[in-house]
Each structure stands twice: as C-alpha cells, then as structure tokens.
C-alpha cells in the first residue's frame, strides 16, 4: 500500500528516520557514558520502546501508571514512573505495576511517598524512589536540599523502598549549583546518590556539560518536531512523524482549509514559530487557526498554491500530543506502508 | 459507587444537568418554531444523542464520517454531516453511511460535491446537499450568492442528489443580509430553499432574531463550559461535565500541581478568561500552565489553599475537546455514579 492511498488525516511515521534518531542520541549518550532512559510519552508504542532498548537504552520513562502498565505488559522490565503518584485509588494499580516490573517512582512529597510505600508493602517487593528537584523550570520538584535529604532518609528507613537517586526536568540554569549543594549534604549524611537523571530533548546534547548527570530522559528525539527543530537539535529531515491531510475547501484566494484541526494536531503552540504546524513544501504557508476539524491555512505568501483535493503533510509543533490524539499510526519506509498499528498507550491519563 | 471513590483524572457528567440543558434549548426552539439538530461533537455518546432526539430534536449533526457512522450504528437516521467530504478514500465510507441513514452533507465546493455524488450513485440512494455560506466567521463557506445558486442548480441536476438548504456557522453579522440576497436570487431562478441552518451555542438564543433561520445546530449547550458561561448563555450551575483531579504536588507556597494537563484538559484557551479551566470552589485560582500531565495552579490569591491529596473539580474552557481526550466518562446523579461508559465517537478524525 502506498501512502497516497491512505485516508486522511493520517499520522505517518518514517521508520528509517526513527531508527536514525534513536541511534544518534544513543551514540551521543554512549560516548559520554550517560545512561539513556527514553520517555515513551512521545510514541506510546511498545514496539518503538523495544527498539530503543535494543539500541542501548537501559530502561524507559513513563508518566502515568496506566501507560507504564502497557509497557510492562509488553515485556519491559526497567521502568521509571517520573510522576507523583498520590491517593488510595492509585495503590492497587501501582502494586500491579510493581509486581510486573523493576519499578522506580519519581516524587517530591511525603503524600506520594506514602502511596508508593503502601504499594511496595502490598507487592512485597522493593520499589526505587527517585527524588525530583527543581532547577529552573518552576514546575515541581524539591527546592531545598535539606528537604530532599530528609525525604531520602525517610525512603531508606522503609524496608520495601530504596533511594534510587535524583531527577530534574529539564536541565536548568540551577541544575549544577543545586547538585553541588546536594552532593555535599548527602555526603555529610553518609548517603550515596546512586543516579542523577535529567529530562528533555531540547537540551539533550548539553547533558555532558553537566558533570553530575548520569542519566538522560528524552522523549521527543525519536520523532522530532517543529519545537525541537527550532531548538536546534534536529533538522526538518529528522522529523519522522508527518500528519497527512487533505485540502477540503478554498473559500478565499488567501485561505485553504485542511481536514485536520485541534482534534488531529492539538492546540499546542509550544513557542514553535507562527501557527500550529509546518506544511511540508509550502514553507510560507501558516496554519493560523484551528477549530476541532478545520485547519485554516494562510497561503497568501505562497508562490505555489495548494488546491482542493491536494494532499499535504504537516510537521506538528509538538509531536507527543499528536500521538495521543490518534488511535492508530501508519509505519512506512521509502513511501511504502509497512503496517498500521494501534497506539497502545494512547489516552492513558491515570 | 461514590464520585470520591473514582481514580483521577476523571470526567464526570451530571445527568440531571444534562437533561435540564437539553430541555432548556428544546423549549426555546419549540417556542420559536425552530428545528433543533444538535451537534454531537460535544458528547460523542449515542445515548445522549438519543436523549436529545427523544426530547424533540429532529436529527443530529456530525462533523466526520466515522463519528456519524457510530451514531448511525446506534440507530439514528436523520444525520447532517456538516463537513466538506473530499477525496476518493472517502467514497466507500460515505456510501456505507448513506445506506444506513437519511443523510445530508454540507459542502461549499465542486470537488466535495463530486465525492458526495459518487457515494450517492454507489449507494443508489438520494443524499441531501446543504450548501454552506460564510457570514462573518471567515472560516469556510460560499461568499458569493451567485456561486451558491450555481452549485445548488448543479445539485438539482444530479439524479441521486437533492438540494436540502443552506447552512452557516456561526450566526454572523452578515447572515441576514446574505440570506436576503440569496432568497431573492433563488426565487428568481425558481428554486426553493427548503431549510436554513445556523450553528453555535454562544448565539443560540438569538436564532429567532434572524427571521430566515429554520434550524439550529448547537453542540456545547448539552454540557456547557467556561466559554458558554462567559458568552452569557449559561451559569456555572449549568456546567454538566467536571473533570475531577487530584493535587499531586505543592512545590511552592503559591503553586500546586494537579494530575491533569493538556492530555486531560487540552491546550484550548478559547478566549475563556485566564487559564485552562475554572477550579470549582477556588474562584481565585488560575490554572496558568499545562504540560501533558501537569496542571500548574497559581493559588496565591486563594484564601483557602488546596493541599496535596485534595480532590478538586475543573470546569473546562472548551468541553468538546475534553470529551475527545477521554476513553470513558462517568455518569452521575446526586453524587452517585450511575455508569461509566465508553465515549464511542471519540477520536474519530476521518
């Protein structure tokens, strides 16, 4: 089957590009003795997670219990759940996940720690706890080294938990200063820090400039998108997921409508330049507005104008959220469809 | 089961409010002799579409073939597909849909007309064609009455198609002027305009002020959301879908993190005031930033501060896109869970 025979909108993934992207980051990590633990949120596909592991990744990173469970069910053992798991409803699914995998959980507070401890007790199996610190992103994570050390000591005092290191997202301006203070405080308390993990694709090739970082959690690098191209860590050629769309209306000389709106592309602008995605071959076109099923494209600056019925390709602003919107993705090589596969960890919000 | 026992994030729908919202608009439409044809994009649930029909709606509106097919499979006959269907891949699914239903298709161009004509021929069944005109929204639709008339005549010349009227979205500043011109041109050409349909919840209670409008397509009114409250057509009490979330981190005195980000709430701002949703009971709180699984909430102005483990409720900015993000929704009355049902027409982008 040729790509041109697919119904649209269709997310189409170039496997040659995927494999090259996986290798590029693995080579970088290997050459700097950094462990790679890819975040699967970008692809949500066990088959690509297994490709990442086969190329040298030590384990994977997931954000929610339900998406980690999909990966564990596919046979993946070494899982970091990099999210505060809070509340009694989470205990049973977390226990199941712990039984199936070699689980580490990231957290920044005692309520989450109590949830993880209860799951470890029920699973009768040790769970690693990775403490999240805040180093410039102002999202979450411990800000005070003293609070972090106290929490680490609490982890070590629990028979079914062990302290599995520190994590931050992304590499920030305060990462090194924070770690220097932490290393000194932990050493004084007689505690080792077994691993220090940083996340994020935009700064991935700077990980080695932070001497304490021993692990990298990157997700987007497997597909790349307009945001990572704009961040300077990829070229348009590296972008492996294109959304194939059709022009369905041409209501004004300067405007065409594509059959992909926020339900196919998401409303994420993610500071990627003008509009909601880059049209391949129409660099001057701007997808300037999305309704749920309509993408409004300003073609006033285009020398070549698309017309109704034309099939176009969009490189998304933020590819991870696009994976989450589609039940299936098309896998291709050299323009030929290899398979259409369900996005098994799509929609896993819990 | 009580709502407090649900795992989060969980979209929870109050059926009493749903029924009251359905009745309110049906009463309005009945009192003005306007036919109601609800857009099912908001709920994507056949069981609620049937409630709308049982309360007096004449038929339903869908945007894509695949979501219309879910509704047809549930036994709904009278369907308007208000979207330009373009391309050879669409012919077979459109033919199937036409066979199962009493189908009308909205369009604004000849390429879409050719696709619909081919499906009608293959189905060996008449399909109604509704011509879309543009009346202020600058999205799509015919701008020239003369082009619209010519397309209507082309419809009438096809044995398996019939001209089923005009549609626009939303009611715009040029709607009445455009329709006056159209009525005169169609009359001169000896053509009736059997129905004139307008869409949109924000202006729904103004439909009767436009004397030519005979049909109303509204979607959001069944749940309402922050945008329709801000538009003045609903109160917070009318908002039937609340996303139940949990506070998972409190990294700074002024900030808590909820376990719902863009994967649960979407990045739609839809000019609804500050932030990505309204926290019930914390009017001063602002959900000021979303990552995929993190909602960052500024609580600096709150007199009462939420803490880790607390369960909160969010009224979404734009509820339709939230329905599309969740595989299941919870149906409740008076705080008791009645059922958890799959969102059968979720993710139907084609």
């Amino acid at each position: 089957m040729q790509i041109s025979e697919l119904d649209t909108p269709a997310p189409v993934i170039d496997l040659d590009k995927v494999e090259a992207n996986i290798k590029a980051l693995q080579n970088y990590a290997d050459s700097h003795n950094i462990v790679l633990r890819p975040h699967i949120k970008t692809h949500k596909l066990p088959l690509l997670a297994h490709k990442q592991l086969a190329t040298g990744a030590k384990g994977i990173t997931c954000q929610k219990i339900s998406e980690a469970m999909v990966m564990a069910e596919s046979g993946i053992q070494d899982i970091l759940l990099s999210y505060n798991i809070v509340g009694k409803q989470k205990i049973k699914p977390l226990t199941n996940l712990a039984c199936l995998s070699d689980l580490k959980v990231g957290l920044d507070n005692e309520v989450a720690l109590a949830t993880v401890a209860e799951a470890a007790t029920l699973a009768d199996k040790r769970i690693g706890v990775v403490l999240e610190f805040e180093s410039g992103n102002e999202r979450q994570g411990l800000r005070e080294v003293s609070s972090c050390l106290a929490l680490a000591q609490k982890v070590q005092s629990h028979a079914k938990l062990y302290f599995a290191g520190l994590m931050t997202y992304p590499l920030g301006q305060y990462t090194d200063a924070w770690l220097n203070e932490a290393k000194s405080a932990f050493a004084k308390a007689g505690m080792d820090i077994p691993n220090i993990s940083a996340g994020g694709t935009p700064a991935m090739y700077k990980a080695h400039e932070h001497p304490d970082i021993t692990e990298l959690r990157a997700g987007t690098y497997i597909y790349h998108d307009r945001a990572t191209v704009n961040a300077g860590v990829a070229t348009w050629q590296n972008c492996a997921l294109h959304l194939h769309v059709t022009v369905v209306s041409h209501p004004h000389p300067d405007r065409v409508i594509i059959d992909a709106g926020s339900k196919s592309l998401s409303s994420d602008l993610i500071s990627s330049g003008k509009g909601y995605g880059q049209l391949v071959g129409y660099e001057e076109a701007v997808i300037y507005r999305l309704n749920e099923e309509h993408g409004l494209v300003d073609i006033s600056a285009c020398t070549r104008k698309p017309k109704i019925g034309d099939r176009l390709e969009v490189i998304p602003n933020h590819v991870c959220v696009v994976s989450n919107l589609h039940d299936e993705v098309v896998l291709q090589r050299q323009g030929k469809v290899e398979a259409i596969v369900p996005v098994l960890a799509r929609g896993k919000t819990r």
Side-chain angles (χ1 to χ4, degrees), chain A:
Chain A
M1 189 186 198
Q2 300 296 316
I3 294 175
S4 59
E5 297 168 63
L6 296 166
D7 196 3
T8 64
V12 179
I13 291 157
D14 185 323
L15 286 175
D16 291 332
K17 290 184 182 179
V18 161
E19 288 163 5
N21 291 341
I22 292 174
K23 272 191 200 120
L25 187 60
Q26 189 64 55
N27 288 345
Y28 164 81
D30 290 348
S31 72
H32 293 287
N33 283 316
I34 294 171
V35 162
L36 197 58
R37 180 181 292 283
H39 205 309
I40 60 79
K41 76 191 181 96
T42 305
H43 53 72
K44 304 179 197 298
L45 294 170
L47 71 93
L48 294 190
H50 279 283
K51 260 189 210 291
Q52 291 170 312
L53 292 168
T55 310
K58 180 170 187 281
I60 61 166
T61 309
C62 302
Q63 208 75 326
K64 293 283 181 115
I65 298 172
S66 52
E67 69 183 14
M69 200 64 185
V70 172
M71 296 296 150
E73 286 166 358
S74 86
I76 294 175
Q77 275 291 309
D78 187 343
I79 297 177
L80 167 63
L81 190 56
S82 59
Y83 198 83
N84 280 305
I85 306 298
V86 169
K88 65 180 168 61
Q89 285 79 14
K90 303 290 185 194
I91 292 169
K92 199 177 160 202
L94 189 63
T95 304
N96 292 344
L97 178 63
C99 288
L100 275 188
S101 67
D102 167 18
L103 184 65
K104 272 80 60 182
V105 181
L107 54 87
D108 72 358
N109 66 76
E110 298 207 9
V111 185
L113 181 61
T115 309
V116 177
E118 200 161 335
T121 303
L122 277 171
D124 193 20
K125 192 171 171 188
R126 291 176 85 216
I127 296 178
V129 174
V130 180
L131 295 178
E132 181 172 2
F133 65 99
E134 204 265 286
S135 62
N137 185 40
E138 298 189 346
R139 184 169 77 180
Q140 68 178 34
L142 293 147
R143 292 187 304 153
E144 302 298 328
V145 166
S146 55
S147 317
C148 184
L149 178 59
L151 206 51
Q153 287 167 328
K154 199 153 184 176
V155 169
Q156 288 294 57
S157 72
H158 194 288
K160 290 291 175 191
L161 301 178
Y162 66 97
F163 175 56
L166 303 173
M167 59 176 261
T168 196
Y169 170 83
L171 277 170
Q173 53 177 320
Y174 305 119
T175 304
D176 294 344
W178 201 97
L179 285 172
N180 276 333
E181 194 189 330
K183 282 192 300 181
S184 146
F186 276 69
K188 256 188 217 158
M191 276 190 77
D192 277 340
I193 304 175
N195 185 35
I196 298 176
S197 178
T201 291
M204 63 186 183
Y205 289 136
K206 290 186 174 152
H208 69 286
E209 297 173 13
H210 302 268
D212 300 317
I213 298 300
T214 51
E215 179 181 282
L216 180 61
R217 312 181 318 278
T220 314
Y221 81 99
I222 190 169
Y223 289 163
H224 282 301
D225 57 20
R226 205 172 176 211
T228 65
V229 171
N230 286 353
V233 292
T235 66
W236 295 118
Q237 283 307 313
N238 300 136
C239 292
L241 185 152
H242 289 195
L243 188 72
H244 288 242
V245 302
T246 299
V247 176
V248 295
S249 182
H250 190 170
H252 185 281
D254 290 342
R255 181 167 75 244
V256 293
I257 310 295
I258 54 174
D259 61 349
S262 64
K263 244 176 74 180
S264 296
L265 278 169
S266 99
S267 307
D268 259 18
L269 284 165
I270 200 174
S271 59
S272 304
K274 279 194 286 185
Y276 293 94
Q278 179 63 53
L279 273 178
V280 178
Y282 295 88
E283 280 66 31
E284 312 85 357
V286 179
I287 306 172
Y288 66 99
R289 184 176 131 200
L290 297 182
N291 290 133
E292 281 149 87
E293 308 286 8
H294 298 79
L296 283 70
V297 187
D298 179 354
I299 56 167
S300 59
C302 296
T303 43
R304 193 167 54 103
K305 311 263 185 193
K307 58 185 197 302
I308 297 173
D310 282 359
R311 294 170 69 104
L312 307 177
E313 298 177 34
V314 183
I315 295 176
N317 281 354
H318 184 194
V319 74
C320 313
V321 293
V322 173
S323 286
N324 190 53
L325 290 170
H326 298 273
D327 290 350
E328 296 177 336
V329 287
V330 180
L331 305 177
Q332 65 106 346
R333 279 187 210 271
Q334 315 283 336
K336 275 196 79 168
V337 173
E338 288 212 338
I340 299 176
V341 296
V343 184
L344 289 175
R346 186 211 58 73
K348 303 295 182 192
T349 57
R350 290 176 202 137

